[in-house]
Amino acid sequence: MPTNRIEADYLLETPADPRRVADLMAGEQSSGTFVAIPGETPELKARVAAQVIRLEILDETAISPSLPSAHLNLTPGAPVLRAKVTLSWPLDTLGPSLPNLLATVAGNLFELKPVTGLRLLDIRLPDEFAAAYPGPRFGIAGTRQLAGVPRRPLIGTIIKPSVGLGPRETAELVSDLCRAGIDFIKDDELQSDGPACPFDQRVEEVMRVINDHSQRSGKKVMYAFNLTGDLDQMRRRHDTLLKHGATCLMASINSVGLVGMVELARFSQLPIHAHRNGWGYLSRHPLLGWSYIAWQKIWRLAGADHMHVNGIGNKFAESDESCIASARACLTPMFADKPCTVMPVFSSAQSALQAPETYRGLGSADLIVTAGGGIMAHPLGVAAGVTAMQEAWEATLTGIPLTEFALNHPSLQHALEMTA
Amino acid sequence: MPTNRIEADYLLETPADPRRVADLMAGEQSSGTFVAIPGETPELKARVAAQVIRLEILDETAISPSLPSAHLNLTPGAPVLRAKVTLSWPLDTLGPSLPNLLATVAGNLFELKPVTGLRLLDIRLPDEFAAAYPGPRFGIAGTRQLAGVPRRPLIGTIIKPSVGLGPRETAELVSDLCRAGIDFIKDDELQSDGPACPFDQRVEEVMRVINDHSQRSGKKVMYAFNLTGDLDQMRRRHDTLLKHGATCLMASINSVGLVGMVELARFSQLPIHAHRNGWGYLSRHPLLGWSYIAWQKIWRLAGADHMHVNGIGNKFAESDESCIASARACLTPMFADKPCTVMPVFSSAQSALQAPETYRGLGSADLIVTAGGGIMAHPLGVAAGVTAMQEAWEATLTGIPLTEFALNHPSLQHALEMTA
């Protein structure tokens, strides 16, 4: 691509001529409006207008419109066309600004009248964006170093019940998990700093356990404390984490938003575990919103170190194929000189069972896998839950089928029976 | 409602038993997970679990699933049920935190496997939220005072072409608009601080024109400068606005995000004109995402003073009925002691024509209406475009049909012909 233009790929559906609608999209997102206006001269358009640089009709057959449009006469079964459309914009209009990029590539155009489906599939950014934003400060290497896990996946868990435990009870659970050999623990996204489990007390109690365990064993478990909150609260909580020797923080991307995440990344001295809860409302309909391929680029450049990607056999509506494509995207470099690769985080109904398929799909052991119920509900207890996960990955990385490995590994055996 | 619980209403669609799915939603968004876990005791559940407090089946007839779900066998035409579900949460789990509220009421639940449709319809918050957040600092009264328009709607426009004009050219257009008697002007959401029209220079040039006009005429036109950007940039731009005597700023909500908007509202000494571009990807499918009724409450409490609501006869996919419901919501008090009412902003293909229907729908003159092309493309020029808008509202507020008023008001006459 030309180095000074921004590109975005869309999946478009319309009952009108897709070429005309692509032109409308380009106009709406640059110099045009709904009527011709005197100031939009040919010179100005040549300089600043967004351009339709590719358009490929995908389906010639008639299908029903995916989304209603109040001012069109759409009937179920009415003919619509789908097309892949690429628009480009000159960088000079907005500069290398992520917030203004959102307004440009993902602004009003989803609402255009003749659009019965529009999904942002991918974006490509000029190098100026790489220079303007921090990207992940820790990424894969930094996370592995802090967690003391050089090569295999980080085996992790989520505090469960998600809410309801106090600081002391949380620390007791963490103590069990440390003894069981866990690498990584995270707060649930519902648990930040409520009166029932205050952040500062939780950090103090949990880090005492983690630091004691580290002193004894040499292994410092990485705990991602959920500091999601207003900016002043996140700053204060971050400093509390530093003070107690924590090695990771967690924030909910869709709660914090882009400017908050960029600011967090600028002041954070810890890896940022980025939780994507709310992703469903951005992506659940296949002809609306965001693909993860486009979306994750924004947050990696903003400074996330770990990105949630759901998991194989998850409890949600997403296919395994989609989950794997998301995880592979996290490991795909964004810029030649600034790859911004991050740890994909597999979660949701994860257990020992999914290790082989996860590894086969991703083609890498650079990942974090978090199992909540899959560890906490192990019939032999939490320690056996962690051991089973470790055994599953040991088997997977050495190419041994789980059922075979389980023959003389009872923790794994029970895990396979539990989740079968 | 009990004062210490948060409530959220959802439109749910599922091929399963809606009662069971509502329980699943409540579990996922509080103490549950996909398997029973030892720590989730009856005592803990009684204390922290989300509760299904209302459930009303809406359709008993079979319809097709709205959204795909990878792990369900769904076929087009398969029977699904729709229900209105209300969940409630104890405030103690999260405290009065807007970011954590999002993770709670709009987190993972959109992705649940048996959910083929889920839309957040409304939220109700305990008074603790009103105490924790600023709400609109200027709102309707403050905006009217700064703009010098005590009773009628603020007649506004958007700089068009949206992008492509430099600071000097923008100021020249503003000069014409000031002379034409406009109340309000806004940057387009695509124009913030790109190299082709730097923010500081634009403010300097535009405010010189506005201040000069104010000196001469006594009327200070309100200009909403789009300062959308990273936090340090927004702070600096805000101070630039203060220095030059500007009276409004604009930010794109979905670009800035919640934490950034809260922070902006905390330091801003100017009314915040909140642009909703991107709203389509949050709302366009009727069985997914957010209703505006729920969504606008978040941003009003965060500190927005003006909220975009689209417009009657807009160029987008939204119905007029939906637009009016959104605007009425902006004028509906949120808390007894802190109403947080804001100016609804009507835009998108607006012209003189829509005044009567807008007024009839809203039942109030507390609004801003912005016409871009509707003013810029008036056949007699920009001044006549503004005059036509003023005449349309004068006619509407005095109960005279536009066509009758236009008989001896040629600007309005031409506007009606242009948009007919």
Side-chain angles (χ1 to χ4, degrees):
Chain A
M1 63 173 289
T3 54
N4 64 339
R5 290 187 77 87
I6 295 157
E7 291 185 9
D9 303 327
Y10 300 91
L11 176 59
L12 166 68
E13 182 192 284
T14 178
D17 175 0
R19 290 164 198 84
R20 197 183 63 74
V21 176
D23 286 340
L24 181 70
M25 288 164 59
E28 173 68 23
Q29 293 309 109
S30 60
S31 58
T33 185
F34 71 107
V35 289
I37 44 171
E40 199 189 6
T41 60
E43 180 280 324
L44 182 142
K45 279 189 76 162
R47 184 162 43 84
V48 303
Q51 294 167 6
V52 181
I53 61 170
R54 270 188 297 278
L55 190 148
E56 179 194 356
I57 305 288
L58 299 178
D59 301 308
E60 290 287 355
T61 54
I63 41 175
S64 281
S66 293
L67 304 172
S69 184
H71 308 284
L72 289 180
N73 276 326
L74 293 173
T75 46
V80 288
L81 286 174
R82 290 183 183 170
K84 191 176 167 186
V85 175
T86 301
L87 302 186
S88 88
W89 292 262
L91 179 62
D92 255 16
T93 306
L94 57 153
S97 164
L98 281 180
N100 290 296
L101 177 74
L102 288 193
T104 301
V105 303
N108 280 341
L109 71 178
F110 295 93
E111 295 182 66
L112 290 172
K113 193 184 297 188
V115 165
T116 59
L118 191 70
R119 189 169 175 91
L120 179 52
L121 298 178
D122 203 355
I123 50 175
R124 287 173 294 282
L125 303 174
D127 287 341
E128 284 84 349
F129 276 89
Y133 287 92
R137 190 185 292 198
F138 293 86
I140 297 163
T143 296
R144 286 193 173 287
Q145 189 171 5
L146 280 173
V149 181
R151 268 178 301 273
R152 61 171 175 77
L154 270 65
I155 309 290
T157 191
I158 307 138
I159 295 295
K160 297 280 175 188
S162 309
V163 294
L165 302 181
R168 181 66 53 93
E169 298 159 289
T170 305
E172 284 165 8
L173 186 52
V174 169
S175 179
D176 292 346
L177 289 161
C178 285
R179 276 198 301 273
I182 199 109
D183 301 318
F184 178 91
I185 309 173
K186 62 178 277 292
D187 282 330
D188 193 89
E189 76 273 13
L190 300 171
Q191 185 68 272
S192 175
D193 189 28
C197 189
F199 186 87
D200 287 1
Q201 286 178 43
R202 188 165 77 249
V203 172
E204 195 182 324
E205 299 276 359
V206 166
M207 286 314 299
R208 184 183 302 131
V209 167
I210 286 177
N211 288 328
D212 284 355
H213 177 75
S214 169
Q215 286 289 324
R216 280 196 307 273
S217 69
K219 181 178 177 71
K220 186 156 187 175
V221 173
M222 179 175 272
Y223 190 112
F225 289 94
N226 179 14
L227 56 54
T228 300
D230 300 339
L231 190 63
D232 55 332
Q233 296 168 336
M234 295 202 296
R235 280 187 196 278
R236 195 183 51 68
R237 291 171 196 158
H238 169 265
D239 294 346
T240 300
L241 292 178
L242 283 188
K243 183 177 131 198
H244 290 279
T247 55
C248 193
L249 63 83
M250 169 174 142
S252 291
I253 288 178
N254 294 311
S255 299
V256 172
L258 182 52
V259 164
M261 288 299 288
V262 167
E263 191 65 14
L264 173 62
R266 291 217 161 107
F267 71 69
S268 178
Q269 297 177 49
L270 297 170
I272 296 174
H273 186 86
H275 199 291
R276 73 175 195 179
N277 65 82
W279 169 242
Y281 65 69
L282 297 172
S283 66
R284 180 79 195 276
H285 194 288
L287 264 297
L288 180 63
W290 290 77
S291 84
Y292 195 80
I293 309 301
W295 192 75
Q296 49 96 36
K297 286 186 176 175
I298 305 285
W299 307 103
R300 285 162 60 187
L301 193 50
D305 295 285
H306 312 157
M307 288 286 294
H308 276 235
V309 297
N310 211 338
I312 299 287
N314 61 76
K315 66 182 165 183
F316 296 127
E318 189 179 8
S319 72
D320 295 346
E321 186 187 14
S322 168
C323 162
I324 287 295
S326 297
R328 292 180 74 102
C330 293
L331 297 180
T332 304
M334 277 185 69
F335 301 98
D337 296 332
K338 190 166 185 169
C340 295
T341 47
V342 298
M343 278 285 202
V345 181
F346 289 78
S347 65
S348 175
Q350 296 300 286
S351 70
L353 200 67
Q354 292 100 331
E357 197 173 338
T358 301
Y359 187 56
R360 199 160 47 238
L362 188 61
S364 168
D366 285 336
L367 64 104
I368 299 172
V369 54
T370 63
I375 283 177
M376 304 292 173
H378 192 285
L380 303 184
V382 169
V386 174
T387 303
M389 293 287 289
Q390 291 171 333
E391 289 169 348
W393 277 97
E394 189 186 339
T396 297
L397 293 175
T398 49
I400 301 169
L402 294 191
T403 46
E404 186 185 324
F405 202 80
L407 292 176
N408 52 357
H409 291 89
S411 295
L412 179 57
Q413 187 65 52
H414 279 87
L416 297 185
E417 285 164 10
M418 175 179 92
T419 52
Chain B
M1 64 173 290
T3 55
N4 63 340
R5 291 188 77 87
I6 295 158
E7 290 186 8
D9 302 329
Y10 301 91
L11 175 60
L12 165 68
E13 182 194 285
T14 179
D17 175 1
R19 289 164 198 84
R20 198 183 62 75
V21 177
D23 286 341
L24 182 71
M25 289 165 57
E28 172 68 24
Q29 293 309 111
S30 61
S31 59
T33 185
F34 70 109
V35 289
I37 44 172
E40 199 189 5
T41 60
E43 180 279 324
L44 182 140
K45 279 189 77 163
R47 184 163 41 85
V48 303
Q51 294 166 7
V52 181
I53 60 169
R54 269 189 296 277
L55 190 148
E56 178 194 355
I57 306 288
L58 299 177
D59 301 308
E60 290 287 355
T61 54
I63 42 176
S64 281
S66 293
L67 303 172
S69 185
H71 308 283
L72 289 180
N73 277 327
L74 293 173
T75 47
V80 288
L81 286 176
R82 291 183 184 171
K84 190 175 168 187
V85 174
T86 301
L87 303 186
S88 86
W89 292 261
L91 179 63
D92 254 16
T93 306
L94 58 153
S97 163
L98 281 180
N100 290 297
L101 176 75
L102 288 193
T104 301
V105 303
N108 281 341
L109 72 178
F110 296 93
E111 295 182 66
L112 290 172
K113 193 184 299 189
V115 165
T116 60
L118 191 70
R119 189 169 176 92
L120 179 51
L121 298 178
D122 203 354
I123 51 176
R124 287 172 294 281
L125 304 175
D127 287 341
E128 285 83 348
F129 276 89
Y133 287 92
R137 190 185 293 198
F138 292 85
I140 296 163
T143 297
R144 287 194 173 286
Q145 189 171 6
L146 280 173
V149 180
R151 266 178 302 272
R152 61 171 174 77
L154 270 65
I155 308 290
T157 190
I158 307 137
I159 295 295
K160 297 279 175 189
S162 310
V163 293
L165 301 181
R168 182 65 54 92
E169 297 159 291
T170 305
E172 284 165 8
L173 187 51
V174 169
S175 179
D176 291 348
L177 289 160
C178 285
R179 276 196 302 272
I182 199 109
D183 302 317
F184 179 91
I185 308 173
K186 62 178 276 293
D187 281 330
D188 193 89
E189 76 273 13
L190 300 170
Q191 185 69 271
S192 174
D193 190 28
C197 189
F199 186 86
D200 287 0
Q201 286 178 44
R202 188 165 77 250
V203 173
E204 197 182 324
E205 299 275 359
V206 166
M207 286 313 299
R208 184 183 303 130
V209 166
I210 287 177
N211 288 329
D212 284 355
H213 178 76
S214 169
Q215 286 290 322
R216 278 196 307 273
S217 70
K219 180 178 177 70
K220 187 156 188 177
V221 173
M222 178 174 273
Y223 191 113
F225 289 94
N226 179 13
L227 55 54
T228 300
D230 300 339
L231 190 63
D232 55 332
Q233 295 168 338
M234 294 202 296
R235 279 187 196 278
R236 197 183 50 67
R237 291 172 196 158
H238 169 265
D239 294 345
T240 300
L241 292 178
L242 283 188
K243 185 178 129 197
H244 290 280
T247 55
C248 193
L249 63 84
M250 168 174 142
S252 290
I253 288 177
N254 294 310
S255 299
V256 171
L258 182 53
V259 164
M261 288 298 289
V262 168
E263 191 65 15
L264 174 61
R266 290 216 161 108
F267 70 70
S268 179
Q269 297 175 49
L270 298 170
I272 296 175
H273 186 85
H275 199 290
R276 72 175 196 179
N277 67 82
W279 170 242
Y281 65 68
L282 296 172
S283 65
R284 181 78 193 277
H285 194 289
L287 264 297
L288 181 63
W290 290 77
S291 83
Y292 195 81
I293 308 301
W295 192 75
Q296 50 94 38
K297 288 185 176 175
I298 305 285
W299 306 104
R300 284 163 61 186
L301 193 51
D305 294 284
H306 312 157
M307 289 285 296
H308 277 236
V309 297
N310 210 340
I312 298 286
N314 61 77
K315 65 182 166 182
F316 296 128
E318 189 178 6
S319 72
D320 294 345
E321 185 186 15
S322 168
C323 161
I324 287 295
S326 298
R328 293 179 75 102
C330 293
L331 297 181
T332 305
M334 278 184 69
F335 302 97
D337 296 333
K338 191 166 184 169
C340 294
T341 47
V342 298
M343 277 286 201
V345 181
F346 289 77
S347 66
S348 176
Q350 296 300 287
S351 69
L353 201 66
Q354 291 100 332
E357 197 173 338
T358 301
Y359 186 57
R360 198 160 47 237
L362 188 62
S364 168
D366 285 336
L367 65 104
I368 299 173
V369 54
T370 63
I375 283 177
M376 304 293 173
H378 192 286
L380 303 183
V382 168
V386 174
T387 303
M389 294 285 291
Q390 292 171 331
E391 289 168 348
W393 277 96
E394 190 187 335
T396 297
L397 293 175
T398 49
I400 303 169
L402 295 192
T403 45
E404 185 184 325
F405 201 79
L407 292 177
N408 53 356
H409 292 89
S411 296
L412 179 58
Q413 185 65 52
H414 279 88
L416 297 185
E417 285 163 10
M418 176 179 91
T419 51

